[in-house]
Amino acid sequence: MALLTGLDMSARMREIGLRLLPAEGAAEVKVAGPLAIYLFDDPGAAVPFALELRAALAEAGMTCRIGLDSGPVLSGRTPDGGRDVAGAPVNQASKMAQDLAAPGTVCLSEAVAAQAGPDGFTRVRHAVSGVDLTFYQG
């Protein structure tokens, strides 16, 4: 039952994310269980997408935690034909969302806030895994 529930969640998240994803300058990397990863050419476009995604998921009865960071990443195909991404921005976004954010929260790194603006977000500081992080949440 848990497996079917997880597959249903992934399918609904994927459908919602792809419906909201801009036609240009953004790409879905993967959706697996409760995890979804998207790449954007411009952090300014990622913030409204994250806010719209959070609202659409909430409307579908799903609570999320979203982390956004900006910077160089490695992206490519996996041996099974899927796609994945790695790099410091992926790690920071994950730490903010998975380790520090309350359910329903969108977190912006300082880099994203500097590029897209922190309007409507509150600056916070947390330590995780011995690393001090300063970011914005809302």
Side-chain angles (χ1 to χ4, degrees):
M1 191 66 158
L3 176 63
L4 292 176
T5 301
L7 290 173
D8 178 58
M9 181 189 333
S10 287
R12 289 189 300 147
M13 283 180 56
R14 182 167 208 192
E15 182 276 321
I16 292 168
L18 288 175
R19 179 171 39 88
L20 298 173
L21 199 64
E24 294 185 19
E28 175 190 273
V29 174
K30 68 179 173 181
V31 177
L35 172 73
I37 300 177
Y38 303 93
L39 287 179
F40 283 79
D41 293 341
D42 174 21
V47 175
F49 170 79
L51 297 172
E52 291 172 15
L53 180 62
R54 174 180 64 183
L57 291 173
E59 190 174 298
M62 299 174 8
T63 303
C64 65
R65 296 177 295 183
I66 299 173
L68 302 174
D69 195 9
S70 178
V73 296
L74 297 172
S75 176
R77 294 279 174 206
T78 60
D80 66 358
R83 196 164 172 209
D84 210 349
V85 64
V90 178
N91 296 337
Q92 172 133 349
S94 172
K95 289 291 181 201
M96 290 184 301
Q98 294 179 346
D99 295 346
L100 301 172
T105 303
V106 173
C107 299
L108 310 179
S109 69
E110 288 185 298
V112 171
Q115 294 174 10
D119 294 340
F121 289 81
T122 303
R123 186 173 189 252
V124 295
R125 290 184 59 122
H126 283 285
V128 61
S129 302
V131 176
D132 287 325
L133 295 177
T134 300
F135 59 95
Y136 295 81
Q137 66 182 11

